[in-house]
Amino acid sequence: MNSKVKKYLILSGLGAALLLVLALISFFVVDEIKGGAVGDGQNKYELIIDSGEPSSSVVRELAASGMIKSSVYFNYLIKFTRAGNKIKQGVYDINDGMSSRKILDVIISGKVKLVTFTVPEGYNNRQIGDLLVTKKLSPSREEFLKVTQSLALLTKYNIPAKTLEGYLFPETYSVPLNYPLERITEMMIKRFYKKLESIPESKGMKPADLHFRVVLASIVEREAVRKEERPMMAGVFLTRIEKNINLESCATIQYLFDKPKKRLFESDLKIVSPYNTYINGGWPPGPISNPGLPALEASFRPMKSDKLFFLLKPDGSHYFSSTFKEHLEAKKKFIDVLYQ
């Protein structure tokens, strides 16, 4: 190879390298000018991408909301990275401190906005349905209740009932917006069985026997105020059943109302319903709430005694009595004086 050809090749290589460097510099300059962040992140925007929505529509919304500098450049990024078919539906938290490349990365990675909700211990299915409506996770209470009556879910988890009441574990959950109600419900069922693993007495238990424990726990959950009293309370209910005494649980009456009453009256105790344990013997036909772990533990480990009655005192604790006479005396002392 002569020196002229060698020199030409070297100059050509240097020229190509220079062009590449200039191209890269130009790209980063244009990327900063056209694709850099619009602001400092103070302005936030909730971007909702529907299923099947074209990328052009997404870009128009980003431009209209002031989240990107150039829709032309953003469309170029989508084309250059072949991301047109990778954009995922969902709800995304966007802010003006994000560059175009960062925004594109978020919407193709599916890093959707999560909705967090907390189910308090003792909530019944109606209350959970209302909670999900406020969080925009369910269109209505009725839609959620339909899912809780799903034969497929009841069969899958061997729940011998007509509803999932009692098996939706009260805890904090985080799900994407538009997450299917069936999957939210199943998430709570799975959490219930996972928590149940911490109670050795529940292992290998038949569905019908487990259901009885859930019913008991659901009543204890709504009756108890202090956790330490729950085993004693569970023992009272079991003793009453053994002696063929009606449970007479106010919590089962409260379950009949859409919203719990501050005080029950004599007429409330006469409402005709299989859940009215004042006029019906035995257990109610199903759970009246979704109990937490302490109430479940109490139903599996009740504290047996000769106590047959209890009443709520003004300080939040309960007074336990062995006889009806003692119970009436306690009622006069702690309850009746409040309404004189």
Side-chain angles (χ1 to χ4, degrees), residues 2-42:
N2 59 45
S3 58
K4 289 184 178 182
V5 173
K6 191 173 183 179
K7 184 177 180 181
Y8 173 77
L9 291 175
I10 291 172
L11 290 174
S12 296
L14 290 172
L18 181 61
L19 288 173
L20 179 60
V21 171
L22 289 173
L24 288 171
I25 292 173
S26 299
F27 170 78
F28 285 113
V29 170
V30 172
D31 184 61
E32 180 57 34
I33 295 173
K34 296 293 185 181
V38 177
D40 58 4
Q42 293 295 314

Side-chain angles (χ1 to χ4, degrees), residues 92-229:
Y92 300 87
D93 280 330
I94 305 297
N95 66 71
D96 65 358
M98 299 167 69
S99 67
S100 291
R101 282 183 288 120
K102 176 62 177 176
I103 293 173
L104 183 60
D105 177 61
V106 168
I107 63 178
I108 67 175
S109 64
K111 297 175 182 177
V112 297
K113 176 183 179 180
L114 294 178
V115 179
T116 298
F117 65 95
T118 300
V119 178
E121 294 179 345
Y123 256 32
N124 59 42
N125 288 357
R126 288 168 294 181
Q127 291 171 304
I128 296 177
D130 291 341
L131 172 64
L132 295 180
V133 170
T134 63
K135 292 292 184 176
K136 299 181 181 180
L137 293 171
S138 178
S140 67
R141 175 203 282 188
E142 290 68 32
E143 285 299 310
F144 174 70
L145 292 180
K146 284 181 183 177
V147 176
T148 66
Q149 296 164 6
S150 164
L151 183 59
L153 287 176
L154 290 166
T155 302
K156 181 177 180 179
Y157 291 96
N158 294 315
I159 297 173
K162 295 181 180 180
T163 172
L164 295 167
E165 189 84 79
Y167 294 84
L168 306 181
F169 196 78
E171 202 169 84
T172 297
Y173 300 89
S174 294
V175 298
L177 203 60
N178 299 322
Y179 203 60
L181 276 176
E182 290 79 4
R183 295 182 69 178
I184 293 175
T185 305
E186 194 161 11
M187 182 187 300
M188 290 189 277
I189 300 171
K190 288 181 178 178
R191 192 67 57 86
F192 168 84
Y193 283 105
K194 184 65 178 177
K195 292 291 184 178
L196 206 61
E197 291 177 3
S198 66
I199 305 177
E201 294 87 346
S202 71
K203 292 182 180 179
M205 185 170 282
K206 294 179 180 179
D209 295 330
L210 173 61
H211 191 64
F212 145 68
R213 295 290 176 179
V214 176
V215 171
L216 173 57
S218 75
I219 299 174
V220 169
E221 184 67 81
R222 292 306 293 253
E223 289 278 10
V225 176
R226 298 186 176 182
K227 292 183 178 181
E228 64 270 16
E229 293 181 344

Side-chain angles (χ1 to χ4, degrees), residues 214-284:
V214 176
V215 171
L216 173 57
S218 75
I219 299 174
V220 169
E221 184 67 81
R222 292 306 293 253
E223 289 278 10
V225 176
R226 298 186 176 182
K227 292 183 178 181
E228 64 270 16
E229 293 181 344
R230 291 173 182 177
M232 175 71 81
M233 204 169 277
V236 168
F237 287 127
L238 286 170
T239 302
R240 291 180 74 92
I241 290 292
E242 290 169 1
K243 293 181 178 293
N244 292 317
I245 302 173
N246 289 2
L247 292 180
E248 296 186 349
S249 165
C250 292
T252 64
I253 302 296
Q254 293 281 17
Y255 184 67
L256 303 177
F257 304 110
D258 195 53
K259 293 183 179 179
K261 290 187 172 185
K262 289 184 177 180
R263 184 188 181 191
L264 292 175
F265 295 95
E266 195 69 29
S267 58
D268 297 323
L269 307 184
K270 297 176 182 178
I271 297 175
V272 177
S273 167
Y275 282 91
N276 186 338
T277 56
Y278 276 83
I279 62 176
N280 298 299
W283 301 104

